[in-house]
Amino acid sequence: MRIVFMGTPRAAVPSLQRCLDDGHEIVAVWTQPDKPAGRGNKLHHSEVKEFALSRGLNLAQPQRIKTDESKLLFGSYQADVAVVVAYGRILPSEYLSAFRRGAINVHFSLLPHYRGAAPVNWAIVNGEERTGVTTMFLAEELDSGPILLQSETSVGSKETVPELMSRLSELGAELLGETLSRLDQITPRPQRHDQATLAPMLKREDGRIDWSQDAVVIERAVRGFQPWPNAHTSVGGRRLIVWKADPVEVERSQGVPGQILAARGGELVIRCGGDSALRLLEVQPEAKRLMTVRDFLNGTHLQIGEQFGEV
C-alpha cells in the first residue's frame, strides 16, 4: 500500500519500521515540529523524525494542520491510507477522508476504555491488571472510530509507563502489520460508547502526591506518572520526585499522613492513609540527579516526625 505515516514519539517508531518491513510504500512521514528542550532550549526533533531521516523518507512537519496549504499537501500524496500512531494532534475531517482506505490509528488501550492522550499512564495509575492495543478507523470524535483488531496483555505489578509503553509499541506494530495485511477481510465493529472511559492529557498537578491516600495508590502514581509529570512532593520547601517506592503496612497509630516514620541508612518511610506507609527507594531532589534513598539521606538531615508535602 501507499501510506502516509503520522507519528511523533518513540512509541510510533516500531509501527513505521513494520510498515517498511512489510513492503509498504511510505510516501510521506508527518511528525510534530521541532521543539526547544533541555539547557539552552536547543531544538529537539522527534524520534520519528530521526528514524525517517535515517531511512531517507519524505518528511513533513507542518506547524498547523488546519490550513489550506497543509490540507492540500496531505491530499497530494494520493496514498491508499493514512496510518496514525501518537501523532499528537486531532485530525480534521478532510484528513480522514483524503485517501480511499481512510485513516487507521494504533491506540494504546483496549477501546472503548481509556480514550484520550494518556491511556498507558492512567491504566497504571488506576491499577488495571490488563491493557492492550487497538487498531481502528479514525472518526471525528476522539478515539471513537470502528475497531479493526485488538491485542491484550497483562500489566506487570511493578511496571512503569516507559516499560509498558515499550512493550505496547511492539505489540502495536505487530497488530498494525496484521491489520494492513487483512484489511479487506476485517469487518470493523462499532465501539460501545456507553462503556467508554477517558484518559485525559496529563497536567503537572496530577503528579502531586496526596499522602492521605493509601500507599498502594501512591505507588501506582509513582509508576504511572513517569516520565512526566512524575510523582512529586516537597520536603524542606524543595521539590522531590519519587521514582521508585514500595508500600508497607504500619499501625494506624503511627504518625499522620506525610510524616517521616524512618530516616536512617537506606530506609526512608513516609506515613500514608489507612494502615499504610511508603518506603522510598529512588528519588530526585530539585535540580539534582536521580539517586538512591541512601545517597539522598547522606546529603540531608531528615528526622523522624518531619513532614512531606501537603496533606
Side-chain angles (χ1 to χ4, degrees):
M1 288 189 195
R2 288 172 56 85
I3 293 174
V4 173
F5 187 91
M6 309 179 79
T8 298
R10 183 182 304 277
V13 173
S15 288
L16 178 52
Q17 176 72 68
R18 181 58 182 260
C19 289
L20 292 171
D21 291 345
D22 288 349
H24 297 293
E25 181 184 357
I26 306 298
V27 295
V29 173
W30 280 39
T31 191
Q32 291 290 321
D34 297 348
K35 295 180 180 179
R39 293 183 179 179
N41 281 330
K42 293 183 179 179
L43 284 179
H44 171 80
H45 49 253
S46 72
E47 286 88 349
V48 165
K49 178 177 179 177
E50 289 182 2
F51 181 87
L53 291 175
S54 72
R55 298 302 190 275
L57 301 175
N58 181 24
L59 186 71
Q61 295 178 274
Q63 292 288 338
R64 294 185 298 162
I65 63 174
K66 294 184 179 180
T67 64
D68 290 341
E69 181 181 7
S70 294
K71 292 174 183 177
L72 285 171
L73 175 61
F74 191 78
S76 71
Y77 296 122
Q78 298 182 343
D80 296 307
V81 67
V83 170
V84 184
V85 188
Y87 177 55
R89 291 182 181 174
I90 297 176
L91 301 183
S93 59
E94 295 92 334
Y95 288 75
L96 307 185
S97 59
F99 309 135
R100 67 183 184 89
R101 308 304 294 267
I104 293 174
N105 178 228
V106 177
H107 184 77
F108 298 111
S109 80
L110 296 174
L111 291 170
H113 301 297
Y114 294 105
R115 294 178 179 177
V120 182
N121 300 86
W122 290 112
I124 289 180
V125 169
N126 292 338
E128 300 290 351
E129 294 182 354
R130 301 197 69 77
T131 186
V133 182
T134 302
T135 53
M136 66 172 178
F137 283 121
L138 281 173
E140 289 190 52
E141 186 181 346
L142 179 66
D143 297 333
S144 65
I147 291 171
L148 294 165
L149 295 176
Q150 292 186 309
S151 184
E152 188 174 327
T153 187
S154 60
V155 179
S157 62
K158 294 299 180 181
E159 203 162 23
T160 65
V161 167
E163 291 166 345
L164 180 55
M165 182 62 83
S166 178
R167 290 202 299 114
L168 290 177
S169 66
E170 297 295 337
L171 195 65
E174 292 180 16
L175 197 67
L176 175 63
E178 183 181 357
T179 299
L180 293 175
S181 68
R182 294 177 47 207
L183 195 54
D184 291 331
Q185 289 80 46
I186 299 170
T187 300
R189 54 186 175 90
Q191 292 191 41
R192 289 285 304 274
H193 302 302
D194 59 320
Q195 295 181 357
T197 60
L198 298 180
M201 186 176 294
L202 297 175
K203 306 182 296 295
R204 184 181 176 90
E205 56 265 32
D206 287 328
R208 185 180 65 83
I209 295 174
D210 177 0
W211 292 104
S212 67
Q213 292 182 315
D214 189 278
V216 170
V217 174
I218 298 174
E219 190 274 337
R220 293 199 308 249
V222 168
R223 293 182 289 113
F225 288 132
Q226 296 182 26
W228 190 90
N230 292 305
H232 58 268
T233 186
S234 60
V235 58
R238 295 180 68 82
R239 188 168 184 262
L240 182 74
I241 295 173
V242 180
W243 284 97
K244 189 175 182 181
D246 276 333
V248 294
E249 292 185 1
V250 293
E251 295 180 6
R252 191 178 291 268
S253 60
Q254 283 188 265
V256 297
Q259 196 171 62
I260 297 176
L261 300 182
R264 184 178 181 181
E267 187 86 349
L268 179 57
V269 179
I270 314 300
R271 185 71 164 83
C272 303
D275 298 325
S276 71
L278 197 68
R279 177 182 290 112
L280 308 191
L281 301 173
E282 294 180 359
V283 297
Q284 185 174 6
E286 187 174 335
K288 294 186 178 181
R289 62 175 176 82
L290 186 154
M291 60 184 69
T292 65
V293 157
R294 181 178 294 276
D295 288 342
F296 173 63
L297 289 176
N298 285 342
T300 61
H301 301 284
L302 295 179
Q303 301 293 324
I304 292 174
E306 289 188 51
Q307 193 75 23
F308 268 52
E310 300 175 359
V311 178

